[in-house]
Amino acid sequence: MQGNARGSALAYKMVAERDNEKYSCARESRLLIVAKARVWASEGWQVVITDHDGKAYAPPEFDQLSAA
């Protein structure tokens, strides 16, 4: 995992892919990463969120992650 400016690991990573493009970001907040991922998915991107345990969540599973 990537660290932030203070050196701690970020808990959630989002990867969005479409055509030949790829975007990724990491956040400590699951609510922020889910909100960001939903926006990207609504724009037609294939989005996956991975948590600190390595479990991957696709858009149909975002509700599980935001309710955790």
Side-chain angles (χ1 to χ4, degrees):
M1 287 260 155
Q2 299 173 346
N4 64 17
R6 289 175 244 135
S8 64
L10 296 173
Y12 301 94
K13 182 177 181 183
M14 179 194 87
V15 176
E17 297 183 59
R18 180 173 69 181
D19 301 326
N20 292 328
E21 298 177 88
K22 185 174 183 178
Y23 173 82
S24 65
C25 71
R27 296 284 182 268
E28 291 180 22
S29 168
R30 73 176 182 271
L31 298 177
L32 289 177
I33 204 78
V34 167
K36 186 177 222 42
R38 284 185 171 145
V39 170
W40 284 78
S42 74
E43 296 292 325
W45 292 74
Q46 299 296 314
V47 183
V48 174
I49 296 173
T50 306
D51 68 12
H52 61 281
D53 293 326
K55 181 172 181 189
Y57 298 84
E61 302 166 310
F62 288 170
D63 286 337
Q64 293 174 2
L65 186 57
S66 62

